[in-house]
Each structure stands twice: as structure tokens, then as C-alpha cells.
Amino acid sequence: MPRLEKTNLRGRDRPQLDWRFVQRFCSIQKVLFPSWTSQSVLMFGTLLGVTLAEQLIIYQVGVLPSHFYNVLADKNYSGFRSLVGTAMVLILFNSTLKSIDQYICNQMYVSWRKTLTESLHSAYFQGRVYYTLNVLREDIDNPDQRISQDAERLCKQMSSMASRLIISPFTLTYYTYHCFHSTGWIGPVSIFGYFVIGTIANKILMGPIVSTLFEQEKLEGDFRFKHMQIRVNAESAAFYRAGKVEHMRTDRRLQALLYTQKRLINKELWLYIGVNTFDYLGGFLSYIIIAIPIFSGVYDSLTPGELSALISKNAFVCIYLINGFTQLIDLSTTLSDVAGYTHRIGELREVMDDILRKQCDYDPASGESYDFDRFVWAHYSLDFNIHAGPVDTAFIVDHLSYKSPFSDELLVEDLNLKISQGTHLLVVGNTGTGKTSLLRVLNRLWEAHSGFVQMTTCFGPRGTLFLPQKPYLTDGTLREQVIYPLKDIYPASGILVFVLCRYDVLSPGEMQRLSFARLFYLQPKYAILDEATSALTEEAEAQLYRTCKQLGMTLVSLGHRSSLEKYHDVQLKLCGEGRWELTKLKGTSGNLSLKDEAM
Ligand SMILES: Nc1ncnc2c1ncn2[C@@H]1O[C@H](COP(=O)(O)OP(=O)(O)OP(=O)(O)O)[C@@H](O)[C@H]1O
């Protein structure tokens, strides 16, 4: 796997309001609106209906004052009474529709967030994408923040734009027609021209905002990660009395974040100036439009009274049309946020797709999310050899060479090995010689440099189970810890009590014991133990190894302790610089050739 360079925010990769934004935005919309009958489309349709009704009512409310002038001037009491009644009904309707509009927008926000986050989750947890993304890819920052926060903000901003955007084609068409009717072509053409200039100016002002917002979100993620790191490692840091240095480092991240936030605010100032200028200039534009024919003598034949009536009528439609456009321009601050979040989520989706594609090329089975539970229940009816191979074998390693993803030096070269039932293997070697890396390659977390690894059993119960060096205890009850990674008890029983477990207060030895409890519960055929007893006494280690063997497990252990030798039949020693030695334990020694020896 080649080392990936950090490419974000450099040169042509700076997130902009460009074609790539449009593509990423459209691909996110496809997720949010998967079909014409989807919930989002129905909500959008309802919102359109509500906003159209709202516009009709607003128009009626807008003409009420002129009716009041009429009935008051005529001292028409019954007309006044019915007008007050109409006004009350219209106002009630208007406020109800406005509230429904807000309500639908909020519902849409939650529904979009659900759809988008679930879609990101399904890619993130597919195969080993979450591992590759967090451990091996350096070109993408804070995937957790993109999924939890950026997706939320994108949906929030889009829902806040929705009702204004959805209605604008209708109001713009309606008032363009009226404007054309009253002023001729000069009105709509000048207003459209004005809008085009405003849009270009705003696009120029928004460009730097999008990339700065992108950067700000990255720094926000880094800052949060630092706090998370302290939270997880609070005890170790406290043993070092590391408060001062952690304070300094956390403050440094805060300063970087605040510096970028200030830069963003400074850039936004120019956008606000642009938007506000556009708003206020728009107010005058209607009078400029009407002034042109007046000064050029088109209306010279009209009396002053007719001229003022014409000016008032034209000003009304022009102002409405301009208002429609300024509302769109006002959205540019929201749009720049949407663009920033769209780039962050779009980039994450692209990288996840890329990882998944490469994983599927390397390991076709990795495309599916591995479901331990499915395999447990399937076991009774299926023999699940996932690759054709001898039934008493877990792995066949053939001329395997591997290296760490960010280095060119081979850790192990040309390794031949067969892990078979009943032959317990001990892997030893100095620190950093590639013992755990061998397990990464066997587990297909890392790709082999050359040669191949064939896994002939499945993961999980009745197959192969890996106990990693760092015991992973998840959130949940003790029962959930023990049955992990199963979701349900197997076979169905209530033997494990429902006790809430605070895994963070367990000692390393207790964590290792709990990992063995998992192993005894799941009872795999092959148990791969990476320094699984390093925090336990030799007596406890002996007891656990004895139990594993009584349960019929074949063990592959990694470790430094010589006490481990007596539980194993064969030893693989990694000597560094690619060299390795395979020897028989319990008396026999010397290099073994894989193909000849029955391992
Ligand atoms: N995620 C990773 N990305 C890049 N390099 C890694 C990664 N994990 C391990 N390495 C490197 O690979 C090399 C082998 O690491 P490995 O974990 O296999 O050592 P090990 O033999 O198990 O050591 P130990 O006895 O300390 O557990 C080390 O130089 C390490 O820095």
C-alpha cells in the first residue's frame, strides 16, 4: 500500500464553489431523495404546497391596507366589520402556514440527517473501511467529525434554505410576468442583469469562504480529538502529571482553530458587505428602471396624476421581483456553509468508495459486512469453508512477504506456513519485527507485498477468532462484552446476568480475562492470541491455556515470555530484515520446511 500524501487544501484541491461542488452536491441529493416516492420527496412536495399557499395569503394580507383605506374613507361600517373578520382569518391562516412551514423544515432536517448519516455509516462499517480510513489513510482528516457533525450541519443549513429556495421559481416567474406587463422588457432585463452581477460578485466573495470553512471544520475536529485523547488517557496523563503539557498542546489546537475562525469571519465581512449593498441598491433599482423612459420622454404625454399612478404600480412589481432575487442572494452566506460541508462529506464518500473498491479487488468477500451472528446460526446447516482448502487447516501462507504500509522495508520475506488443527504455533521475535503485522496480513487488514494467504475457515465461533493485543471492550452490559462481536446470545440462554460494565475502570489483567471469557463463550476452532496473557500471572496463564486446549482450540500465540513455549508445538521466530526461522518445540529444533512437515 503506497503512502498517501496529504493533499487537502493545496493548490487545485482547495474546496471551491466549482463543478466538483455541483457533482458532490448532486450525489448527496441522490442519497437524500432516493426515489420519487421517498419520504423526503413527499415532505418536499408538502412544503411546496404550504409555501405556495403562504404566498397567496401574504399577497392577500398585503392588499388589506388599501381596502381599509377605502372602507374608512367611505365610513362603511359593515364593510369595515367584514374586513376585520377577513383580516383575522387571513392572519390566522398565515401564522398557521408559517408554523407548518417551519415544522416541515425541521422534520426534513431530521429525516435528511437520518438518511445521510445512515448512508455514511453503511459505507463506513462495510468490510474494513473504518479501519483503513482511520489507520491507513492520511489524506482525510477526522472522519468521525464528518459523520457526526458535518452531516448534521449540512442538513440543518439545507433545511433552512429549503422553503425560500423552493418557492423562488414560482414567485420569480409570477413577478417577472407582471413586471414585463407593467414596464416592458426594460424592467425584467435590468433586474436580471442586476442579479447576474450580484451573483458573480457573491461567487467571487464566497470562494475563499468555502475553503476556509473546510479548514475550520478540520481544526474543529482536531481540537475535539485532543480532548477525546485526554478523556481516554486521563489516568496515564495524571500519572505523568502531564496537565501542563496537555494544557499547552490543547491550547495550541484551540489557537489554531480560533485563528482560522477569525480569518473566516474577516472573509465573511466582505460577503456581508456585498449582500447588504445588493439588498439596499435593489430598493432603488425600481425607480431607476422607471426613470429611464420618463427622462427619455416616453411618458411625456401623461398627466402628473397618471404618471404617479404608473410609478407606484411599476415600483410595486419591480420591488417584488427584486425582493425575490435579493432573497436568493441573501442565501449566499448559507450556501457557502453548505458548499464547505458538501465538500467534506463528498470527499469522505469518495474516499470510502475508493477504499471499498480496492478492498473488493484484493478480497472479494470484504464487500459484505461480516455478520458473525449470521454465521453462528448458519453453522448448524452449513459447512462454511470460505475458501476451498483442507478442512483441518485455518491458513495457508505461501511465499508471503509483507511490510508496513508506510515503509519500503520488508518485515518478513518469503514466508511459508500452514496453520493446521492441533498444531499450536508460537510466534516470537524482537519488538517491531512484524509479529502483529503477520496477524494483520492474515486478517487481511494489510495487503501482502507478494505471495498469498489463504484463509480456509471463517471468522468467529467455530472458525478463527483473533484476540488483539489491546483488548477491545465495547459499551454495554457484561453480557454484551462477553458475547462480543455477536449481537445475540448463542445458543439462546439467559445464563449471563445483565450487569452494566464500566470497562474503563477494569485493570489490564481484568480486561485480558474478559477477553478470554469471550473466547470460551465463542469457542472458535482456532484462537489467535496477540500477547493475550501479558498482564496475567504465569499461573493464570497456565489455567487459561489449559482451558483453551480442553475446549479443543488450536492456538497461535504471539508473545515474548518463554513460559509460553510449553503450550506450543512449533515456533516461528521473526528475526528482522525479512528473515524468519521455523522450529519444532518440545525437543526437536532446526529449520522446518513447510511443505514437508505436517504443520
Ligand atoms: N498502522 C500502522 N501503520 C504503519 N506502520 C505500522 C502500523 N502498525 C505497525 N507499524 C509498523 O510496523 C512494524 C511492525 O510492527 P508490529 O506491530 O508488527 O511489531 P511487533 O513485532 O508485533 O512488535 P511488539 O512485540 O512490540 O508487539 C513497526 O515498525 C511498526 O512501527
Side-chain angles (χ1 to χ4, degrees), residues 370 372 375-379 382-386 390-395 419-422 443 455-467 485-486 490 518-519 521-529 548 551-556:
Y370 202 87
F372 271 62
F375 276 87
V376 170
W377 300 115
H379 156 254
L382 288 175
D383 180 21
F384 37 65
N385 274 354
I386 56 171
V391 278
D392 63 343
T393 304
F395 293 96
I419 297 175
S420 302
Q421 208 167 2
N443 204 321
M455 182 172 173
T456 53
T457 57
C458 64
F459 286 107
R462 304 292 177 142
T464 303
L465 199 76
F466 287 78
L467 287 197
L486 292 185
Y490 132 82
R518 249 176 219 170
L519 199 66
Y521 177 72
L522 297 169
Q523 295 187 18
K525 267 196 209 162
Y526 299 90
I528 311 223
L529 314 172
C548 285
L551 291 170
M553 293 177 207
T554 300
L555 303 170
V556 176

Side-chain angles (χ1 to χ4, degrees), residues 131 135-136 404-406 411 430-437 440 446 469 531 560:
Y131 169 79
V135 180
L136 302 178
S404 98
F406 303 136
L411 289 167
N430 266 340
T431 304
T433 46
K435 300 184 294 298
T436 305
S437 302
R440 294 181 182 117
W446 288 9
Q469 198 166 11
E531 311 215 11
H560 294 283

Side-chain angles (χ1 to χ4, degrees), residues 87-351:
M88 296 302 284
V89 172
L90 284 177
I91 287 165
L92 201 70
F93 262 121
N94 198 12
S95 52
T96 310
L97 285 172
K98 259 203 153 60
S99 314
I100 294 176
D101 173 347
Q102 273 171 355
Y103 173 78
I104 297 174
C105 283
N106 289 341
Q107 288 288 352
M108 264 189 344
Y109 149 69
V110 177
S111 157
W112 283 345
R113 184 179 183 192
K114 175 179 185 295
T115 314
L116 184 59
T117 313
E118 283 178 355
S119 134
L120 293 171
H121 277 175
S122 60
Y124 188 66
F125 292 110
Q126 198 165 5
R128 305 173 302 271
V129 172
Y130 58 92
Y131 169 79
T132 311
L133 200 60
N134 284 302
V135 180
L136 302 178
R137 295 285 290 235
E138 282 203 317
D139 57 341
I140 187 142
D141 67 86
N142 303 301
D144 55 330
Q145 196 223 12
R146 292 180 197 233
I147 295 173
S148 60
Q149 188 178 303
D150 296 347
E152 186 271 332
R153 291 197 179 162
L154 175 67
C155 296
K156 187 98 202 156
Q157 298 288 34
M158 283 198 315
S159 74
S160 76
M161 287 170 80
S163 64
R164 276 188 284 171
L165 262 186
I166 200 173
I167 197 66
S168 57
F170 297 92
T171 49
L172 289 179
T173 315
Y174 182 73
Y175 288 110
T176 302
Y177 168 74
H178 276 288
C179 185
F180 177 74
H181 204 66
S182 322
T183 65
W185 60 267
I186 182 109
V189 168
S190 339
I191 294 170
F192 278 110
Y194 180 63
F195 176 68
V196 170
I197 293 169
T199 308
I200 292 171
N202 271 347
K203 158 100 180 51
I204 294 167
L205 294 172
M206 272 194 284
I209 292 179
V210 177
S211 51
T212 315
L213 185 108
F214 189 100
E215 200 181 328
Q216 180 203 283
E217 289 307 312
K218 175 194 174 297
L219 293 169
E220 196 85 61
D222 292 348
F223 179 58
R224 222 178 46 174
F225 180 77
K226 185 70 205 162
H227 270 287
M228 211 263 288
Q229 206 178 34
I230 293 165
R231 186 180 133 193
V232 172
N233 300 298
E235 188 176 85
S236 314
F239 269 117
Y240 282 115
R241 289 282 184 277
K244 213 165 177 175
V245 63
E246 290 299 344
H247 181 181
M248 189 260 292
R249 289 188 178 168
T250 313
D251 267 358
R252 204 154 55 197
R253 292 205 185 192
L254 176 69
Q255 298 313 330
L257 168 64
L258 295 179
Y259 173 71
T260 308
Q261 257 179 341
K262 279 186 190 157
R263 272 177 47 225
L264 182 66
I265 291 170
N266 289 343
K267 286 176 183 174
E268 277 176 343
L269 172 69
W270 296 106
L271 183 64
Y272 285 132
I273 291 175
V275 167
N276 288 329
T277 312
F278 189 85
D279 277 4
Y280 287 109
L281 270 182
F284 292 114
L285 187 63
S286 58
Y287 297 103
I288 296 170
I289 291 166
I290 199 78
I292 296 168
I294 291 174
F295 286 115
S296 59
V298 175
Y299 297 135
D300 279 358
S301 59
L302 298 182
T303 63
E306 287 170 332
L307 191 61
S308 18
L310 187 84
I311 292 171
S312 126
K313 193 177 124 211
N314 286 3
F316 168 75
V317 284
C318 289
I319 284 173
Y320 255 86
L321 185 56
I322 291 166
N323 186 44
F325 280 124
T326 45
Q327 284 215 359
L328 283 186
I329 294 284
D330 286 351
L331 289 179
S332 29
T333 42
T334 317
L335 180 65
S336 52
D337 288 357
V338 166
Y341 296 127
T342 298
H343 276 299
R344 287 184 64 76
I345 291 162
E347 191 182 63
L348 176 67
R349 280 162 49 84
E350 286 157 21
V351 170

Side-chain angles (χ1 to χ4, degrees), residues 379-428:
H379 156 254
Y380 295 103
S381 55
L382 288 175
D383 180 21
F384 37 65
N385 274 354
I386 56 171
H387 292 287
V391 278
D392 63 343
T393 304
F395 293 96
I396 299 171
V397 175
D398 196 6
H399 296 287
L400 173 74
S401 301
Y402 60 87
K403 59 185 186 60
S404 98
F406 303 136
S407 151
D408 292 329
E409 274 176 39
L410 288 179
L411 289 167
V412 166
E413 205 173 344
D414 209 23
L415 174 67
N416 293 309
L417 189 68
K418 193 158 83 176
I419 297 175
S420 302
Q421 208 167 2
T423 310
H424 307 285
L425 172 72
L426 177 65
V427 183
V428 296

Side-chain angles (χ1 to χ4, degrees), residues 569-583:
D569 307 307
V570 182
Q571 174 175 290
L572 172 68
K573 184 172 180 188
L574 305 185
C575 313
E577 295 168 350
R579 287 176 295 113
W580 53 274
E581 280 169 16
L582 200 58
T583 50

